[in-house]
Structures are given as C-alpha cells and as structure tokens.
C-alpha cells in the first residue's frame, strides 16, 4: 500500500480543529457537485471541505473528493493512479442504445484514443508525437497571428458600445487559433465552431443519452471532414499540424489513423472552452475588482503574472478524476485500489496552506504555483497556447476599451461540473 503523505498539514483553513461540534457536523456534510449553490459559487463549499473533511467520500465505496492543494498535487504526480476512462461510461450508454437499434460507435472509438484518457506507455508515445507542436517556442511564433485575430474580432464590435465577451471575443478566438494550427481552411470556421461547441460536453460527467447522441453525430461529421483533409495533406503537405502528424504516422507507423483523427478532435475539446472560460472568468474577476483592473491597464507588462492569478483565482477546469491502481493512504483515509478520486483543482488553488489570502485576486502575486493546468504526466499540453491567447485577448481588450463596464448583474454559469465558465458576459464601453 502506498502512503501519500500530505506534508503540508499546517493547513490554515483548519481554523477550529478543537471545535468538536464542527467536526461532528462534518460527518453529516455531503458534498453535492450537482447542487445549484455549488454551481453558482463553489468556493465556500471547497472551504468547508478543506476544513472539515479534506479527504471526503460520497458514500462507502463511492468516489473520493480531495480538496487540499498538497493532496491534489501528490495524486496528480503519483504513479499509483491511472487516468479516469470516460469511455467506460460512454460504452455503458452505447450498450443501452444498441438495444434500441442506435449506437455511439464513433464516440466510443474516438474517445478510446484520447490522450487525456490514456495511460503509459501509449500515453507517452502519443504525447511525444504532439508535444513539439505546442512548445513555448512554436507558440511565441503564433503571437502575431493571435493578435491579428483578436484585433479583427474587436474591430467588428468597436462601434457598437456593447459586446458579449463570450460570443464576440472569447468564443471565436480559440477555435480560430486551433483551426489555423491544424491547417483547417477559413471556409470551415462556422462548422468548426458548431462541432466544437457540441464536443466540449464530453468533459462533463453528467451527460444525458440524448446529448451523447448529438456528440456522436458531431464526431462522425468531424471525422469525415478530417479524413478528407488528411487525404489532401498526404498528397500536398503544408506547414501545419495535420501534415506534421501525418509525417509522424508514416515514421514507423507510430501513430494510427484513428489516433491522428482523435488527437485533432481532442485539441478542440480540451483547447476551446477552457480558453473561453479563462478569458471570461478573467474579465469578470477584473470587473469585480476595479482597482486590480486599473493596475493592469496602467502596467500591461504584468499581464503574464496577471493571467496566472486569473487561472488560480477562478480556475476554468475545476476538477479532474483518477482511479487508484493500488491502495493509497491519504490523510487518515485509505483509498482502495479501483476507487475513483475527484481532484478539485479549483479548491487546491484556493488553499490557504499554499497561497496567502487565497480568496483575494492579486494580479501581482509572485509565488503562484497553481494547478489550473494540472500536474504530472497529463499536465496541459496547450498551456503555452492558452496563456498566449488569454494574455493577448485581455490586454488588448483593456487597452482598446478602457472604460469596460458590466452590463448585467444576472450572470449565468454554464451547466458543467468540470469546466467553470459563463454563458454570456455582457459589457458596455465607449465607442472608439
Ligand atoms: C486556460 C486554458 C486551459 C486550461 C485551464 C487547461 C487545463 C488542463 C488540465 C487541468 C489538464 C489536465 C487534466 C488531467 O490531468 O486530468 C489539461 C490537459 C490537456 N490539455 Fe489543457 N487546458 C487549457 C487549454 C488547452 C489548450 C489551448 C489545448 C490545446 C489546443 C489543451 C490541450 C490539452 C491536452 C491535449 C491535454 C491532455 C494532456 C495529456 O493527457 O497528456 N489545453 N488541460
């Protein structure tokens, strides 16, 4: 049995450990990630879990929920867990649909090949093939193109005096950027947006059978489109990621055709809504902290650390899952082999044992080793790309429209347990 020790037990969150009443009520406290209150604002609930029951189990034999920074980090880095296989869930739904003469075959076969759900050695082989395309050097070369896309998007609304940050800026940006990276022609942009919107639901754990059917159709169509594009690039390679993946596939057949298609699709799933949410959550946090927004307007050069703080403060990916492959001891609890562990990245990033004044947005925060991009072997492949997009979008927006104001106090969060982001973010500004 592996003992994963949380060496950072000086948790300042544990304010009143001698308060027996509180500890007793902790036994009764049941974490409900589907709760409306949690959905609107998860941070008070995380705080309670970190204080009262940091290694929480839904019920005996049920999933575990970890909320402390040190515990989450140690599990992300542990070799004693494996990736959570969402395709197991999809397979169950597929079986159910097959009895009714329907199926989710495209979804099952494609999600089986997602890097995200893979384990070594397949994971290391596939990741090794794509990692170069996302290196900070490659991303640095993309900055002028990202700036151009942001300028174009803002140019379209500059005379309107009002905009929805999500629909007008954050939404179109990552799909356009990833589409360009892969070499998908401009004419396909609208269709790409539609597929990408549907596909982001894959990451949620609460997806209905009907939604899975819509997802399956989107995957079928997207794959068909990509197959044609791959055939074109096989005849006429270009300076794009699809051509690079084809070259990798042909080199000792290290990459199968299914893996190639699944990897292209995965980039839209992992790279779209996460980036949208970074920009949306970031602008919202700045609107709620006008003094911080002023600092950034005055000193745009702090944008790099500012985006790290935005990622920590309201993390776009709130949780991820692992499955124990061995008995693991965390805190005073034993997680049995085969049990699922939910790692609350959003909570880890607000843990006072790791961050001073964690509930405060501080764009000048220097020590910021947040877990918004995860850690260990599945550490976000697109982190440099996501950072570049968020830095350029947020700075350009603030420089071009310095008097940005929130146009509604009724904001709705998207219905997704894993990804935290707004449906819309309406703002007003003075036309240029
Ligand atoms: C701010 C935006 C983003 C955030 C917050 C984010 C967050 C994450 C997190 C937390 C993980 C690890 C999940 C786990 O360990 O279970 C991850 C993995 C991944 N991300 Fe991102 N991501 C972002 C943007 C992107 C972009 C732009 C791309 C690519 C276009 C991307 C591609 C990936 C891929 C392929 C993986 C799986 C890596 C692996 O399994 O080895 N992400 N991301």
């Amino acid at each position: 049995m592996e003992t994963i020790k949380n060496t950072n037990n000086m948790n300042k969150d544990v304010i009143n450990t001698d308060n027996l009443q509180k500890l007793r009520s902790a036994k009764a406290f049941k974490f409900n990630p589907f709760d409306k209150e949690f959905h609107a604002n998860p941070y008070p609930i995380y705080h309670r879990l970190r204080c009262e029951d940091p290694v929480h189990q839904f019920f005996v034999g049920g999933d575990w929920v970890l909320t402390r920074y040190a515990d989450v980090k140690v599990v992300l880095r542990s070799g004693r867990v494996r990736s959570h296989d969402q395709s197991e869930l999809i397979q169950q739904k597929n079986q159910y649909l097959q009895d009714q003469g329907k199926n989710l075959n495209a979804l099952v076969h494609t999600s089986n090949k997602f890097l995200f759900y893979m384990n070594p050695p397949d994971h290391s082989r596939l990741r090794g093939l794509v990692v170069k395309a996302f290196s900070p050097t490659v991303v640095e070369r993309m900055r002028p193109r990202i700036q151009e896309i942001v300028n174009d998007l803002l140019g379209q609304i500059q005379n309107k005096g009002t905009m929805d940050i999500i629909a007008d800026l954050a939404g179109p940006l990552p799909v356009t950027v990833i589409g360009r990276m892969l070499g998908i022609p401009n004419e396909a942009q609208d269709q790409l947006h539609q597929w990408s919107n549907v596909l982001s639901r894959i990451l949620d754990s609460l997806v209905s059978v009907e939604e899975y059917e819509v997802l399956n159709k989107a995957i079928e169509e997207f794959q068909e489109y990509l197959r044609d594009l791959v055939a074109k690039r096989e005849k006429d390679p270009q300076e794009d990621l699809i051509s690079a993946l084809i070259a990798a596939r042909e080199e000792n057949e290290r990459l199968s055709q299914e893996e190639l298609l699944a990897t292209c699709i995965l980039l839209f799933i992992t790279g779209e809504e996460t980036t949208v949410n970074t920009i949306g959550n970031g602008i919202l946090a700045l609107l709620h902290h006008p003094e911080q927004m002023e600092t950034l307007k005055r000193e745009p050069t702090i944008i790099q650390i500012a985006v790290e703080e935005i990622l920590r403060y309201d993390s776009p990916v709130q949780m991820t899952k692992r499955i124990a492959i061995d008995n693991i001891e965390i805190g005073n609890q034993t997680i049995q082999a085969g049990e699922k562990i939910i790692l609350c990245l959003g909570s880890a990033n607000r843990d006072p044992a790791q961050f001073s004044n964690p509930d405060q947005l501080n764009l000048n925060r220097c020590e910021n080793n947040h877990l918004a991009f995860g850690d260990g072997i599945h550490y976000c492949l697109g982190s440099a790309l996501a950072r570049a997009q968020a830095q350029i979008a947020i700075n350009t927006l603030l420089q071009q429209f310095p008097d940005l104001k929130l146009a509604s106090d009724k904001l709705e969060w998207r219905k997704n347990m894993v990804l935290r982001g707004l449906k819309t973010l309406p703002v007003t500004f003075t036309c240029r």
Side-chain angles (χ1 to χ4, degrees):
M1 184 199 295
E2 186 189 49
T3 301
I4 293 188
K5 288 239 182 296
N6 175 359
T7 49
N8 204 349
N9 269 335
M10 298 299 291
N11 196 333
K12 293 180 216 148
D13 246 7
V14 185
I15 324 157
N16 250 334
T17 37
D18 54 343
N19 185 338
L20 277 174
Q21 193 53 43
K22 209 171 181 186
L23 284 175
R24 267 188 215 113
S25 73
K27 289 275 170 232
F29 178 55
K30 282 287 159 223
F31 173 52
N32 178 6
F34 307 115
D35 192 40
K36 264 196 189 148
E37 202 188 323
F38 176 74
H39 197 62
N41 181 9
Y43 300 107
I45 315 261
Y46 288 148
H47 173 84
R48 199 170 162 195
L49 279 169
R50 282 192 312 265
C51 286
E52 300 176 8
D53 199 11
V55 186
H56 176 84
Q57 193 174 26
F58 278 113
F59 50 87
V60 178
D63 294 2
W64 293 88
V65 182
L66 304 190
T67 43
R68 286 190 299 207
Y69 180 94
D71 295 339
V72 171
K73 191 174 174 89
V74 91
V75 172
L76 283 171
R77 289 175 159 223
S78 171
R80 298 304 185 109
V81 294
R82 67 173 173 89
S83 196
H84 165 63
D85 190 355
Q86 188 82 350
S87 57
E88 279 168 21
L89 191 76
I90 300 170
Q91 264 160 24
Q92 283 165 11
K93 307 253 178 185
N94 195 27
Q95 219 117 56
Y96 166 81
L97 279 172
Q98 276 171 347
D99 296 340
Q100 301 171 30
K102 301 176 190 170
N103 68 70
L104 300 175
N105 290 345
L107 186 56
V108 171
H109 292 129
T110 307
S111 57
N112 261 334
K113 305 276 180 250
F114 284 164
L115 196 57
F116 216 66
Y117 300 135
M118 281 184 172
N119 293 292
D122 277 343
H123 173 266
S124 339
R125 172 182 52 86
L126 192 55
R127 187 166 168 125
L129 292 173
V130 273
V131 75
K132 258 202 231 142
F134 291 91
S135 72
T137 323
V138 172
V139 170
E140 274 314 297
R141 286 206 297 269
M142 291 177 67
R143 276 184 179 264
R145 192 69 200 106
I146 298 172
Q147 184 69 65
E148 234 174 78
I149 300 168
V150 170
N151 291 347
D152 276 358
L153 291 167
L154 293 181
Q156 289 169 31
I157 50 88
Q158 64 179 353
N159 297 323
K160 294 191 175 158
T162 165
M163 75 184 280
D164 172 8
I165 301 283
I166 306 297
D168 296 325
L169 174 66
L173 178 64
V175 191
T176 315
V177 170
I178 304 166
R180 295 264 160 86
M181 243 183 131
L182 281 168
I184 295 177
N186 280 348
E187 315 80 83
Q189 282 296 323
D190 286 347
Q191 180 62 71
L192 259 190
H193 280 254
Q194 282 172 27
W195 285 326
S196 183
N197 272 342
V198 173
L199 290 172
S200 62
R201 291 289 295 138
I202 281 190
L203 295 183
D204 203 3
S205 340
L206 201 67
V207 181
S208 67
V209 174
E210 291 74 25
E211 278 181 294
Y212 272 129
E213 285 186 270
V214 177
L215 271 165
N216 191 61
K217 188 160 176 288
I219 297 245
E220 275 173 358
E221 291 172 1
F222 200 179
Q223 270 189 334
E224 200 181 314
Y225 176 84
L226 286 170
R227 261 189 218 106
D228 280 354
L229 192 61
V230 168
K232 282 190 190 131
R233 293 292 184 269
E234 279 169 348
K235 285 192 201 121
D236 182 18
Q238 306 281 322
E239 287 281 307
D240 57 38
L241 185 54
I242 291 196
S243 305
L245 289 171
I246 293 169
R249 186 192 62 191
E250 277 155 17
E251 192 187 308
N252 306 326
E253 295 185 347
R254 289 176 67 213
L255 181 72
S256 70
Q257 173 84 344
E258 291 81 47
E259 285 171 340
L260 191 158
L261 299 180
T263 303
C264 295
I265 293 174
L266 178 69
L267 296 180
F268 286 92
I269 295 172
T270 49
E272 198 238 342
E273 207 171 320
T274 49
T275 308
V276 178
N277 296 348
T278 308
I279 299 169
N281 298 1
I283 296 294
L284 179 67
L286 293 173
L287 289 163
H288 282 157
H289 297 82
E291 72 308 330
Q292 295 285 309
M293 193 183 298
E294 284 310 312
T295 308
L296 185 54
K297 275 192 264 178
R298 256 195 337 268
E299 298 171 60
T301 50
I302 65 161
I303 189 66
Q304 289 181 355
I305 51 168
V307 164
E308 297 313 301
E309 175 66 349
I310 281 166
L311 284 160
R312 180 200 71 80
Y313 180 76
D314 203 4
S315 304
V317 179
Q318 287 281 312
M319 44 187 86
T320 187
K321 257 190 197 177
R322 293 291 186 269
I323 299 177
I325 50 178
D326 203 351
N327 289 359
I328 299 173
E329 203 182 286
I330 301 184
N332 294 327
Q333 305 279 13
T334 302
I335 298 178
Q336 308 284 334
E339 288 180 339
K340 293 189 181 118
I341 315 171
I342 298 174
L343 304 168
C344 297
L345 307 174
S347 170
N349 287 337
R350 293 279 192 116
D351 186 343
Q354 178 65 24
F355 303 99
S356 58
N357 298 320
D359 295 325
Q360 215 174 318
L361 180 78
N362 172 8
L363 297 190
N364 279 308
R365 192 181 287 277
C366 295
E367 291 275 304
N368 196 348
N369 201 6
H370 64 73
L371 298 177
F373 290 119
D375 203 346
I377 62 165
H378 291 281
Y379 182 82
C380 179
L381 192 72
S383 58
L385 184 63
R387 284 176 164 127
Q389 293 181 79
Q391 291 163 7
I392 293 170
I394 294 173
N395 251 3
T396 312
L397 185 71
L398 296 192
Q399 295 302 313
Q400 293 199 8
F401 307 119
D403 64 345
L404 218 55
K405 292 206 174 47
L406 202 52
S408 165
D409 51 6
K410 284 202 188 87
L411 296 173
E412 220 183 309
W413 294 91
R414 280 179 187 270
K415 231 178 99 193
N416 192 317
M417 245 175 71
V418 175
L419 303 179
R420 176 164 170 81
L422 292 164
K423 282 190 179 166
T424 60
L425 180 53
V427 292
T428 58
F429 55 87
T430 304
C431 297
R432 285 194 295 142

